[in-house]
Amino acid sequence: MEQLVQQIEDHRREIAAAEAATPEAVEEFRIRYLGTKGLVKNIMAEMKQVPNERKKEFGQVLNDFKLFVENKYETLKENLSGQQAADTVSIDWSLPGNPVPVGTRHPLNIVRNQIVSIFRRLGFAVAEGPEIEDDWHNFGAMNLPEDHPARDMQDTFYIHQNPSWLLRTHTSSVQARVMESQKPPIRVICPGRVYRNETISARAHCFFHQVEGLYIDENVSFADLKQTLYFFVQEMFGKNVKVRFRPSYFPFTEPSAEMDISCLICGGSGCNICKHTGWVEILGSGMVHPNVLENFGIDSNRYTGFAFGMGVERITQLKYQVNDLRLYSQNDVRFLKQFTGVVG
Ligand code: DAH
């Protein structure tokens, strides 16, 4: 029996090394080792020579060997079919791939980014604040005491459960947040979404976007305000655009001014967008009211500052001639696709 076991070992080595590159070779392997007159059957026949008491032991060796040969046969078959698949499926790597649709930036984001990057070049840092605000940061700190009629200028959404919380009506609330946590010199730009209780139409929406600016230091003057905003307009709309300042009123600035630019749609000759005046208002601004500075412990005798706030929808409307505010939030791809590739 030892001799038989030795033979089996030799066969094992020979079979382990066997290869088959064609279906015929695999079939030859099967006939030779697993066929009715094949090696496995022959060795099985040797069983009768094995003494009874060792039959069990030898049976195990034989079974093992048979399994080994069968596995090898399966492997040879698999290798061959894998090889054939690779041979027959020819891939043309030069064909164009399936197109992957590329999204676009939203026009409001494009314009917001452009505004921010212009002011960053002037040394303004970006600051943000919460959209759910308290009365103090949105109104009180900005010099609108509780009974102040100017509160009616902005129709506010209050939170039912606790009316001392509200959806901020302007990004001026971020001015308050910044002055609370930073000391002058302060130079920030604050982009964000704001909310007002308005009926939705082509010209009004219950939410929109603003960018606020705040600059506080020693010796900041109205001339700095004018030059900064003039620079912004030229960068944003081009060198030929004219600006003008009109006196205005905001509780948080004194003096206050609104800034107009010459109408980009008609070039100043008069059209629907500029209501035939040749000018369009783009922002509110002014010198920070001393009460606002003092609310945050900033010495108004030593420090002065200017602030401004602009609507991103309005700037986008002028830049890309968008005539209906609702387009910004309807998610109509025919509108959004027009901004493919616009950098911002
Ligand atoms: N918060 C004002 C608004 O929403 C805009 C504004 C005006 C902001 C004058 C300012 C400013 O910082 O100085 O209508």
Side-chain angles (χ1 to χ4, degrees):
M1 178 184 145
E2 265 59 46
Q3 214 183 336
L4 261 178
V5 173
Q6 185 53 49
Q7 267 179 27
I8 288 175
E9 270 317 298
D10 294 345
H11 286 306
R12 240 182 216 272
R13 241 171 282 130
E14 162 196 322
I15 289 167
E19 281 175 25
T22 59
E24 292 75 35
V26 175
E27 182 56 9
E28 224 170 82
F29 177 95
R30 190 190 64 78
I31 295 170
R32 179 154 173 211
Y33 295 109
L34 297 166
T36 36
K37 291 182 187 146
L39 179 78
V40 173
K41 279 271 152 59
N42 286 344
I43 297 180
M44 294 253 190
E46 301 293 328
M47 191 70 144
K48 25 185 207 309
Q49 295 177 21
V50 176
N52 273 348
E53 69 277 13
R54 298 196 66 183
K55 273 203 164 50
K56 195 171 166 211
E57 185 194 337
F58 186 66
Q60 207 126 39
V61 175
L62 257 185
N63 265 341
D64 242 30
F65 179 63
K66 189 174 171 228
L67 219 64
F68 168 77
V69 182
E70 282 168 354
N71 280 342
K72 176 73 187 185
Y73 172 60
E74 289 305 321
T75 312
L76 289 178
K77 262 204 311 202
E78 269 165 38
N79 287 352
L80 192 67
S81 62
Q83 185 60 40
Q84 276 176 337
D87 286 349
T88 52
V89 181
S90 64
I91 295 170
D92 182 350
W93 299 102
S94 69
L95 284 175
N98 295 333
V100 179
V102 178
T104 65
R105 276 193 206 284
H106 192 280
L108 293 176
N109 283 347
I110 293 170
V111 169
R112 187 222 26 223
N113 292 350
Q114 289 172 349
I115 298 171
V116 168
S117 85
I118 293 168
F119 282 101
R120 284 182 78 114
R121 277 189 273 139
L122 293 174
F124 283 76
V126 174
E128 287 184 321
E131 290 179 19
I132 300 175
E133 258 303 1
D134 53 40
D135 194 272
W136 167 251
H137 290 94
N138 196 76
F139 291 128
M142 299 313 289
N143 203 30
L144 284 94
E146 230 148 77
D147 51 353
H148 199 292
R151 288 201 179 204
D152 299 338
M153 286 163 63
Q154 303 179 355
D155 271 325
T156 311
F157 284 117
Y158 287 93
I159 308 284
H160 274 305
Q161 279 88 342
N162 183 354
S164 57
W165 290 94
L166 48 86
L167 298 183
R168 68 179 176 196
T169 57
H170 53 185
T171 43
S172 303
S173 58
V174 188
Q175 284 192 38
R177 296 264 164 203
V178 169
M179 284 187 265
E180 201 168 57
S181 59
Q182 294 179 34
K183 298 225 168 317
I186 290 172
R187 213 176 337 178
V188 288
I189 192 97
C190 327
R193 183 175 283 186
V194 301
Y195 301 83
R196 289 187 198 173
N197 190 2
E198 308 251 14
T199 312
I200 298 170
S201 71
R203 318 182 108 251
H205 211 301
C206 58
F207 67 83
F208 57 100
H209 300 79
Q210 292 188 328
V211 176
E212 191 84 10
L214 176 67
Y215 185 10
I216 302 172
D217 203 347
E218 292 178 13
N219 301 318
V220 177
S221 72
F222 201 87
D224 296 318
L225 180 159
K226 283 175 77 173
Q227 186 54 41
T228 305
L229 294 178
Y230 184 50
F231 174 81
F232 162 71
V233 166
Q234 292 209 316
E235 289 297 298
M236 193 73 197
F237 296 110
K239 302 278 177 227
N240 297 328
V241 178
K242 294 206 268 303
V243 304
R244 75 174 185 189
F245 287 84
R246 275 179 297 104
S248 184
Y249 170 73
F250 298 103
F252 28 90
T253 43
E254 184 59 36
S256 305
E258 273 165 322
M259 188 172 89
D260 298 341
I261 61 170
S262 51
C263 182
L264 295 157
I265 315 290
C266 63
S269 58
C271 69
N272 276 344
I273 300 287
C274 62
K275 300 195 202 97
H276 302 281
T277 63
W279 296 95
V280 244
E281 180 202 320
I282 63 160
L283 57 81
S285 65
M287 300 305 291
V288 179
H289 197 294
N291 287 356
V292 174
L293 296 175
E294 298 294 342
N295 276 339
F296 296 96
I298 298 171
D299 181 354
S300 61
N301 291 315
R302 180 170 170 204
Y303 292 105
T304 50
F306 68 76
F308 57 87
M310 66 183 92
V312 182
E313 276 79 353
R314 167 54 69 86
I315 308 273
T316 311
Q317 171 188 45
L318 294 171
K319 188 136 183 157
Y320 296 115
Q321 304 180 8
V322 181
N323 54 13
D324 189 330
L325 264 181
R326 289 167 294 195
L327 284 166
Y328 293 128
S329 48
Q330 275 166 343
N331 270 347
D332 186 334
V333 285
R334 288 170 302 181
F335 170 67
L336 298 172
K337 263 196 343 212
Q338 295 176 47
F339 300 90
T340 309
V342 181
V343 189

